[in-house]
Amino acid sequence: MSTPWIAVAQILVLVVALAAVHVPLGGYMARVFTSTRHLRVERAGYRALRVDPDADQRWSMYLMSVLGFSLVSVLLLYGLERLQSHLPLSIGAPAMDPAGAWNTAVSFVTNTNWQWYSGETAAGHLLQMAGFAVQNFLSAAVGIAVVVALIRGLARSGADGRVGNFWSDLVRTVVRILLPLSVVVAVVLIAMGVIQNLSAHTEITTLAGGSQHVLGGPVASQEAIKEIGTNGGGFFNANSAHPFENPTPLSDLLEIFLLLAIPFSLPRTFGIMVGDRRQGWAIAGVMGALWAGAVGLLTWAELAGPGVVPAAAGAAMEGKETRFGTAASALFAASTTSTSTGAVNSMHDSLTAAGGGVAIFNMQLGEISPGGVGSGLYGMLVLVIVAVFIAGLMVGRTPEYLGKKIGRQEITLVALYVLTTPAIVLTGTAVAIATHAGQAGILNPGTHGLSEVLYAFTSAGNNNGSAFAGLTVSTPFYDTLLGLAMLLGRFVPMALVLALAGRFATQKTVPPSAGTLPTHRPLFAGLLIAVALVVVGLTYIPVLALGPIAEALS
Amino acid sequence: MNPTVLDPTGPSVDPETAAHPRPRAAGRQALGARQLVEALPAALRKLDPRELVGSPVMFVVEVGAVACTVLSIVHPSLFAVSITLWLWATVLFATLAESVAESRGKAQAAGLRASQAQTTARRIVAQQDTLEYTSGRADLPTTEVSSSSLQVGDVVVVEAGETIPGDGDVIEGIASVDESAITGESAPVIRESGGDRSAVTGGTVVLSDRIVVRITAPAGHTFVDRMIALVEGSERQKTPNEIALNVLLASLTIIFLLAVATLQPFAIYSGSRQSLIVLIALLVCLIPTTIGALLSAIGIAGMDRLVQRNVLAMSGRAVEAAGDVDVLLLDKTGTITLGNRQAAELIPVEGVDAAELADAAQLSSMADETPEGRSVLVLVKEQFGLRARESGDLVGAELVQFTARTRMSGLDLPDPVGFEGASGEGVRHIRKGAAAAVTAWVHSTGGHTGPDAARIVDAISSSGGTPLVVAERRGSAPARVLGVIHLKDVVKQGLRERFAELRAMGIRTVMVTGDNAVTARAIAAEAGVDDVLAEATPEDKLALIRREQAGGRLVAMAGDGTNDAPALAQADVGVAMNTGTTAAKEAGNMVDLDSNPTKLIEIVQIGKQLLITRGALTTFSIANDVAKYFAILPAMFVLVFPQLSVLNVMHLSSPQSAILSAVIFNALIIIALIPLSLRGVRYRPAAASVMLRYNLLVYGLGGLIAPFLGIKLIDLIVSLFPGIG
């Protein structure tokens, strides 16, 4: 089978699998968040946390819980990183330096999983298991909790800003969704050849008589949640390009499927919870169209796109695993940048200029296609409101979405949300490109160098976490600045989303009429795609023109 | 006196004519060069940054223009000076749009001011309690004071030929008043004490008789004062939706500010430092100047469109709310039906000739001066060719007036007058009235009404009509029923279609009537309204509004009486009739000077059109940016990255002409769209999805394509200038 057909076949398999799984998974998640029953293990958790899981929190209290919980998470992880050499199972990994520890702590708590370090040498098994893997679960759960709060805000009427209970949403997400899925997936991955042990390096003698360190570690357990929770932080530096993380083309396809599974199921959860499944379909459709567009473009760029290398070799093979091939690498690259996962199975720095540009643009969309777990849906819902506002005016009514009016306060929150990430990305990139400390990290000069810095800040600001490579980021300058970008890029939008959830929850729901803008039809979906592309495009086109576009056209 | 003026439901205006603006509004639509020149001084005054800061987009343009001015003085070049001039033009076009919009109200305000000329008032000098309880107050001693010194509670006497000195209620007397100064309607109206027509407006003129008026508004805060402020726009405050849109535009401006500000470090890194003028030009082209420039003009013009239709909105918020209305409460009488019931059909009982019934019906209505009675005469004339009888035909006839006790009218004819061939049967008694009354009369003469009559009466009643039974008694024989007149509410023409349009827009119409449920439903079905509130009291109306609002719906209604006031205040859009009471006018948030309740429908459409215009121009403005990028980005960086010239899809002649052309297009499009923003975009009632598709096609796709053509065209001209092309 030729490469283009492989590309098409695996995309089809993926689409069918996602279509099949989103119904039960989406429905199950809706039940999880609407059920009034607590499991015994959850009750134990609530008692330990000393929280009342039935207290309906106002949005501000919900936000305080999110921020407080995340602050504690950052501090614990920071402590673990700084002290790991004194703790068991460190397998010789040294303590991280303060700037690096800050960066990594923020990175895992914000679901970014940007890694300035190599997992092999910088993180012992305890840090991987008790630090990173735990945050993989918790940061994913926080994202889902926030979008559930927003969905409740839209679904409720006259609820005085009450959007649910953070602790209950957090615990249920972990206990009922992420843990069971991860256990099953980890076992499947082990069966496929992913390693799972607590050994340090194994010294072996190769056939040629040389000596080699073979790495060990609890990889499968972390690999599962890395994809399911759209975290993306690899156990090893090579991430999913490493054979112990991602041994076969089949495991590769499974991992791509996993990182898309929850983000594509949440729209259904949303549709069920707001009582109109068509709304969920429309959003899943828009997410799917944007994702498919990115996959198509990136695959085209790698297989047949402009550039000397693809022309000479038939495809751009540099930096890609021959196990997977170009098509699977392009699919992985498009999917990981669409979902804020950031795991990679190839080196994005080696993508063609156009392919790298697509990857950057994917993240710049704000991680909405389908985006990270939770964050993707709330990011999309914010864009929905922008689209509703403009389109709503054009049908002659005060814009409304799901019966909620988009007035001054709502649009202010939405506008600030839309403003936040570009401000972080552009300012960060500009500061880095204008300073010596920033320019020092650049590997390739010229247009590609600009792309490297832009990629780093785009990835951090949008909490993606994938790296373009090339850029040396293990410096205090980049550790600090990128850490700040991740922190602001995660919690400022979350605060705005929760405030929005509170506003919606307070409003009474207006019943729809023939004069209401229908938000489930293809026309609106098309408008939503246009709004996403135009708003993001207009923001980033100048810098893209000097980076990937100029490089691709040369 | 024209009886329709006395009609308590107000002049019934045909909805077809009401749908079009009054003739005096015509001719004000076109935007002439003269209008622009006249608006120029005001536009220049508006360049004051303290005023402009309210519009964040245009404020940024002005700051950019100032910076460019400084730069082009320091380093003058044709390019720099051209950019600077066009940036100033951009700001000026924006302020020009606003002052043109305002100037349209100024003329009307001047006319209103003339009616405000100080007049002398004859204030009654008496103790307060004397004024409260005495009748004959008009004869109390008065003192002449200036109208501007009148206080609330003062009582004045106004006679024929005098101008009413201030807003007030008639507390004694009745007079015909010329209100043309505010309504433009030359036919005089009746104002009398008590009831729902007691309110008078300062500046209107008493034509006949004498009235005593208690002043209800202090000088300077009268209805006309408010009108002047409204039409001049001096009291204009940004409406909620306008503020929300401004927030969105401001955030877009900030995003582009960021994108352009950070572009310089990237450009320097790429070895292609940009001049500040070019960066400012890029910024101005990207920020949504088109909608930013026209936003306030759109708002002012929206209010102005209402004024042209003789509706005064007390707040812009109400105009926007009108676009959002989900439920329209319409009074049956005067709004859905013509004021009165009319005879629609004559149904004889078995054995009676239709012509005989028609004859009797005509005779019985001779004494009936009510509109219903007159409609019987019209009907028999049209259907049976019976001409109206002259009084000479009825010599000796005795008219029997309708009384509350008998509830019948008719006449007694001495034999043989009015009856072909004297029969010698004696005096002929003809009676017409409610079924129960006539039946009682027939029985009292020893006659029987018969099953046929009862059947017809029931049929008419259940169809929602009103049956009037006609009976006759000859001499001393028992009376017999001849037949039944079917009185029907006549639904105004064209309403059915309009209600269908409203339904398509998602607006439900509810007819409010005091009629019983059967009658109400029948009329509702004929008029095509969605729902009915029958046997409605003012309390029921209020409760209905509250119920709808509790469900999250916005309600609009029209009303005139004092007992409508609570409902008017509760409704999201309450349109008070100008003929109504002061209480009603104060409770509502709009006043219709024509007192035409059907106008609610137009008000809703104007509200929608206002929002659509904003949305359409916002979409257009943002869509424009795509083409501007294609013009400016290659121009900026083609020197260092020649490969970017493939993005120059318009093949603009030089980098400088490309940038200048984009800036010029950006400025000229404002001028080009001023007429549209004043007129509002084309609006046809339709379902939301239909409207969205149309507007996206015209303003979204159009906004994408238009600048490619426009910029190319401008470039062809600009490139002719040496030093740029």
Side-chain angles (χ1 to χ4, degrees):
Chain A
M1 202 153 63
S2 69
T3 312
W5 286 112
I6 295 174
V8 171
Q10 61 187 3
I11 291 169
L12 283 180
V13 169
L14 210 49
V15 169
V16 170
L18 286 169
V21 85
H22 94 283
V23 174
L25 184 55
Y28 172 69
M29 288 194 286
R31 284 196 296 283
V32 166
F33 296 114
T34 47
S35 149
T36 51
R37 204 168 51 88
H38 301 295
L39 301 180
R40 189 171 302 163
V41 56
E42 291 170 351
R43 283 187 201 282
Y46 300 137
R47 268 196 300 278
L49 287 165
R50 295 170 180 277
V51 293
D52 173 10
D54 295 315
D56 205 356
Q57 295 176 315
R58 283 179 55 83
W59 72 270
S60 47
M61 199 56 222
Y62 200 103
L63 173 63
M64 285 304 165
S65 308
V66 168
L67 294 180
F69 178 76
S70 299
L71 177 67
V72 171
S73 295
V74 169
L75 292 177
L76 283 177
L77 191 54
Y78 181 85
L80 206 54
E81 288 161 4
R82 297 279 289 147
L83 297 173
Q84 69 160 330
S85 55
H86 303 292
L87 299 170
L89 281 175
S90 71
I91 58 163
M96 284 189 183
D97 69 288
W102 138 267
N103 182 286
T104 304
V106 168
S107 170
F108 276 80
V109 172
T110 56
N111 197 251
T112 313
N113 305 38
W114 170 266
Q115 293 164 297
W116 60 268
Y117 60 89
S118 301
E120 293 90 330
T121 52
H125 292 342
L126 184 72
L127 180 57
Q128 294 275 19
M129 290 189 297
F132 299 160
V134 166
Q135 278 310 318
N136 279 355
F137 280 97
L138 296 181
S139 65
V142 168
I144 293 177
V146 169
V147 83
V148 169
L150 177 61
I151 296 171
R152 283 201 195 99
L154 284 165
R156 289 179 173 182
S157 178
D160 189 31
R162 298 192 184 276
V163 293
N165 186 288
F166 169 69
W167 306 107
S168 152
D169 291 341
L170 178 81
V171 170
R172 285 181 183 193
T173 307
V174 172
V175 171
R176 301 194 199 178
I177 301 169
L178 298 178
L179 264 177
L181 273 177
S182 296
V183 169
V184 173
V185 168
V187 171
V188 172
L189 285 173
I190 291 170
M192 285 177 162
V194 177
I195 62 167
Q196 177 76 9
N197 57 53
L198 284 177
S199 66
H201 321 292
T202 310
E203 193 85 35
I204 60 156
T205 309
T206 63
L207 286 174
S211 143
Q212 195 179 356
H213 283 294
V214 174
L215 301 165
V219 178
S221 56
Q222 192 161 335
E223 193 67 19
I225 187 64
K226 178 187 104 180
E227 319 293 0
I228 292 169
T230 62
N231 293 284
F235 196 92
F236 302 116
N237 189 32
N239 209 308
S240 284
H242 197 291
F244 288 176
E245 287 199 24
N246 190 6
T248 65
L250 193 61
S251 70
D252 187 62
L253 200 56
L254 174 67
E255 289 188 7
I256 299 175
F257 165 76
L258 289 174
L259 55 88
L260 294 168
I262 291 182
F264 268 122
S265 301
L266 276 171
R268 183 168 179 87
T269 310
F270 161 75
I272 293 170
M273 286 178 74
V274 300
D276 184 355
R277 288 177 196 199
R278 301 169 308 173
Q279 305 291 345
W281 294 339
I283 285 181
V286 170
M287 287 174 164
L290 288 170
W291 172 77
V295 170
L297 268 177
L298 223 155
T299 306
W300 166 79
E302 297 310 302
L303 287 180
V308 183
V309 178
M317 269 311 293
E318 183 197 313
K320 295 190 178 69
E321 290 289 301
T322 47
R323 273 178 297 146
F324 308 133
T326 319
S329 298
L331 178 59
F332 201 113
S335 300
T336 194
T337 49
S338 292
T339 53
S340 97
T341 307
V344 292
N345 77 346
S346 66
M347 291 303 106
H348 287 188
D349 195 29
S350 302
L351 294 173
T352 59
V358 172
I360 295 177
F361 191 78
N362 244 349
M363 294 187 281
Q364 289 172 338
L365 276 176
E367 299 296 10
I368 52 164
S369 59
V373 288
S375 60
L377 181 56
Y378 66 64
M380 179 60 90
L381 287 173
V382 164
L383 272 188
V384 165
I385 291 166
V386 174
V388 158
F389 187 79
I390 295 171
L393 287 180
M394 279 195 288
V395 303
R397 282 172 71 96
T398 296
E400 61 193 86
Y401 182 56
L402 301 177
K404 304 292 188 182
K405 299 250 185 233
I406 316 298
R408 182 174 63 86
Q409 278 163 308
E410 290 80 11
I411 202 70
T412 305
L413 293 169
V414 165
L416 286 174
Y417 183 105
V418 173
L419 199 60
T420 303
T421 327
I424 294 168
V425 172
L426 288 173
T427 315
T429 312
V431 167
I433 214 82
T435 52
H436 288 296
Q439 289 192 1
I442 295 172
L443 177 67
N444 310 75
T447 51
H448 197 75
L450 180 59
S451 298
E452 286 173 3
V453 179
L454 177 64
Y455 194 107
F457 280 95
T458 304
S459 176
N462 288 289
N463 298 142
N464 180 277
S466 68
F468 211 33
L471 188 69
T472 307
V473 290
S474 55
T475 62
F477 173 82
Y478 277 111
D479 275 343
T480 311
L481 214 54
L482 290 171
L484 209 57
M486 290 187 275
L487 195 71
L488 295 174
R490 175 73 162 179
F491 292 109
V492 173
M494 269 190 178
L496 295 167
V497 164
L498 286 173
L500 193 62
R503 287 286 312 166
F504 285 147
T506 306
Q507 277 193 36
K508 286 218 180 90
T509 303
V510 184
S513 75
T516 315
L517 172 78
T519 49
H520 60 271
R521 301 246 179 93
L523 180 68
F524 181 78
L527 176 74
L528 182 54
I529 292 174
V531 165
L533 293 179
V534 168
V535 168
V536 173
L538 292 178
T539 311
Y540 289 109
I541 282 288
V543 64
L544 288 174
L546 295 180
I549 296 178
E551 191 188 349
L553 291 174
S554 62
Chain B
M1 198 181 297
N2 181 351
T4 57
V5 175
L6 268 170
D7 181 355
T9 55
S12 48
V13 177
D14 178 59
E16 283 308 306
T17 56
H20 302 292
R22 305 165 66 83
R24 70 174 165 147
R28 301 208 307 158
Q29 297 281 4
L31 178 70
R34 207 174 59 105
Q35 223 180 336
L36 286 178
V37 172
E38 279 173 1
L40 198 57
L44 287 170
R45 274 195 301 279
K46 284 177 191 289
L47 290 179
D48 185 338
R50 284 167 300 183
E51 253 199 66
L52 215 55
V53 80
S55 161
V57 182
M58 295 325 291
F59 184 72
V60 168
V61 180
E62 184 167 49
V63 170
V66 170
C68 282
T69 310
V70 174
L71 289 169
S72 56
I73 289 170
V74 178
H75 299 291
S77 72
L78 178 58
F79 175 72
V81 171
S82 315
I83 293 280
T84 307
L85 287 178
W86 280 103
L87 291 189
W88 278 114
T90 310
V91 193
L92 186 63
F93 292 166
T95 57
L96 201 58
E98 189 177 312
S99 50
V100 167
E102 282 174 355
S103 70
R104 292 147 62 94
K106 290 242 164 71
Q108 191 165 8
L112 287 169
R113 278 223 174 76
S115 76
Q116 283 297 82
Q118 267 210 6
T119 48
T120 312
R122 288 196 288 132
R123 183 156 60 87
I124 295 176
V125 191
Q127 295 293 320
Q128 194 58 39
D129 52 350
T130 322
L131 289 172
E132 291 295 339
Y133 301 113
T134 320
S135 63
R137 283 168 284 210
D139 299 321
L140 288 169
T142 60
T143 167
E144 296 211 339
V145 298
S146 156
S147 63
S148 60
S149 67
L150 283 176
Q151 310 271 321
V152 174
D154 281 352
V155 175
V156 295
V157 179
V158 192
E159 282 189 31
E162 291 179 341
T163 301
I164 298 172
D167 292 1
D169 284 326
V170 179
I171 53 173
E172 195 180 319
I174 176 168
S176 63
V177 178
D178 173 12
E179 294 195 339
S180 60
I182 51 168
T183 63
E185 179 65 53
S186 56
V189 293
I190 296 300
R191 292 285 176 258
E192 61 185 337
S193 60
D196 288 347
R197 286 174 296 147
S198 61
V200 289
T201 310
T204 56
V205 178
V206 173
L207 293 180
S208 69
D209 306 291
R210 184 169 68 161
I211 46 176
V212 179
V213 175
R214 174 177 285 124
I215 299 297
T216 54
H221 293 88
T222 62
F223 185 69
V224 174
D225 288 315
R226 278 197 303 191
M227 257 180 95
I228 292 171
L230 276 169
V231 297
E232 277 194 328
S234 55
E235 265 186 12
R236 203 179 98 81
Q237 287 178 330
K238 287 206 174 86
T239 51
N241 174 265
E242 195 179 346
I243 294 171
L245 184 54
N246 238 332
V247 168
L248 187 73
L249 297 180
S251 72
L252 281 175
T253 306
I254 295 171
I255 288 181
F256 288 126
L257 206 55
L258 267 168
V260 173
T262 55
L263 187 56
Q264 185 71 316
F266 304 147
I268 294 170
Y269 168 85
S270 310
S272 164
R273 179 187 283 272
Q274 296 295 313
S275 77
L276 200 49
I277 289 202
V278 168
L279 288 175
I280 291 171
L282 174 65
L283 175 65
V284 170
C285 285
L286 292 182
I287 60 176
T289 45
T290 313
I291 179 68
L294 298 173
L295 189 56
S296 71
I298 293 169
I300 297 168
M303 292 287 266
D304 191 53
R305 275 197 294 282
L306 275 183
V307 172
Q308 283 171 38
R309 283 166 177 75
N310 265 350
V311 177
L312 292 184
M314 296 306 164
S315 74
R317 187 185 287 264
V319 186
E320 273 177 11
D324 285 350
V325 159
D326 302 287
V327 181
L328 273 187
L329 293 193
L330 298 169
D331 278 325
K332 185 201 78 177
T333 310
T335 308
I336 292 173
T337 61
L338 295 172
N340 308 291
R341 290 148 200 265
Q342 299 198 349
E345 202 183 352
L346 297 178
I347 308 168
V349 294
E350 228 176 283
V352 176
D353 187 38
E356 188 184 354
L357 173 62
D359 180 70
Q362 187 194 42
L363 289 170
S364 68
S365 299
M366 301 299 293
D368 189 351
E369 276 297 319
T370 64
E372 286 88 349
R374 285 199 299 276
S375 77
V376 173
L377 300 181
V378 172
L379 182 75
V380 297
K381 187 175 175 191
E382 283 177 356
Q383 289 197 352
F384 298 93
L386 293 182
R387 63 175 179 81
R389 306 194 184 200
E390 306 297 327
S391 47
D393 296 343
L394 299 172
V395 173
E398 197 176 318
L399 295 180
V400 179
Q401 300 287 351
F402 176 88
T403 67
R405 198 179 55 78
T406 62
R407 294 195 294 144
M408 291 187 298
S409 61
L411 88 174
D412 298 336
L413 275 179
D415 189 41
V417 180
F419 193 62
E420 280 180 24
S423 60
E425 285 170 332
V427 178
R428 186 176 171 211
H429 308 271
I430 299 171
R431 292 291 181 276
K432 177 195 78 184
V438 176
T439 304
W441 178 69
V442 170
H443 288 165
S444 72
T445 63
H448 297 285
T449 47
D452 207 24
R455 188 181 52 75
I456 297 168
V457 164
D458 286 348
I460 291 173
S461 294
S462 62
S463 78
T466 306
L468 284 182
V469 178
V470 180
E472 178 192 53
R473 182 186 189 194
R474 290 171 188 253
S476 52
R480 64 182 182 119
V481 172
L482 296 177
V484 186
I485 302 172
H486 183 176
L487 283 185
K488 226 173 145 178
D489 265 313
V490 180
V491 174
K492 288 186 184 174
Q493 283 195 338
L495 276 187
R496 215 185 158 77
E497 291 72 28
R498 304 199 99 190
F499 291 148
E501 284 175 1
L502 288 172
R503 207 167 300 118
M505 291 190 279
I507 297 170
R508 215 156 49 86
T509 43
V510 179
M511 185 182 86
V512 180
T513 173
D515 291 345
N516 65 55
V518 175
T519 312
R521 268 200 298 277
I523 298 162
E526 193 183 341
V529 296
D530 299 300
D531 213 343
V532 163
L533 184 67
E535 292 172 55
T537 62
E539 292 73 32
D540 291 340
K541 221 186 219 180
L542 189 60
L544 175 70
I545 294 174
R546 291 221 169 104
R547 209 159 50 239
E548 295 287 353
Q549 286 173 335
R553 282 174 282 264
L554 263 64
V555 183
M557 69 165 283
D560 53 4
T562 299
N563 55 18
D564 281 333
L568 278 172
Q570 180 71 35
D572 300 282
V573 177
V575 183
M577 300 295 102
N578 192 46
T579 52
T581 58
T582 310
K585 282 204 250 182
E586 277 174 0
N589 46 20
M590 292 191 196
V591 176
D592 179 20
L593 299 176
D594 296 337
S595 304
N596 168 20
T598 319
K599 216 182 266 177
L600 258 183
I601 299 172
E602 276 174 81
I603 293 171
V604 167
Q605 296 190 348
I606 288 171
K608 285 193 177 293
Q609 197 189 24
L610 176 68
L611 294 182
I612 295 173
T613 308
R614 279 187 197 142
L617 289 183
T618 304
T619 308
F620 185 84
S621 197
I622 296 170
N624 269 204
D625 280 2
V626 175
K628 291 173 191 164
Y629 264 136
F630 276 99
I632 298 181
L633 275 184
M636 287 170 85
F637 297 111
V638 77
L639 276 179
V640 55
F641 298 124
Q643 67 267 31
L644 287 181
S645 63
V646 301
L647 297 181
N648 183 8
V649 291
M650 288 173 269
H651 299 290
L652 305 177
S653 62
S654 77
Q656 291 201 335
S657 78
I659 295 169
L660 185 57
S661 302
V663 171
I664 294 176
F665 175 83
N666 195 52
L668 289 182
I669 197 72
I670 296 174
I671 284 284
L673 290 175
I674 289 179
L676 181 74
S677 63
L678 296 185
R679 193 178 62 230
V681 301
R682 200 169 73 94
Y683 172 72
R684 269 178 310 126
S689 51
V690 177
M691 264 196 271
L692 179 63
R693 186 173 305 121
Y694 175 82
N695 287 323
L696 273 180
L697 210 62
V698 174
Y699 299 97
L701 202 59
L704 218 51
I705 297 167
F708 279 102
L709 305 175
I711 292 173
K712 176 68 188 168
L713 211 62
I714 294 168
D715 179 73
L716 288 177
I717 300 164
V718 166
S719 60
L720 297 177
F721 290 88
I724 287 183

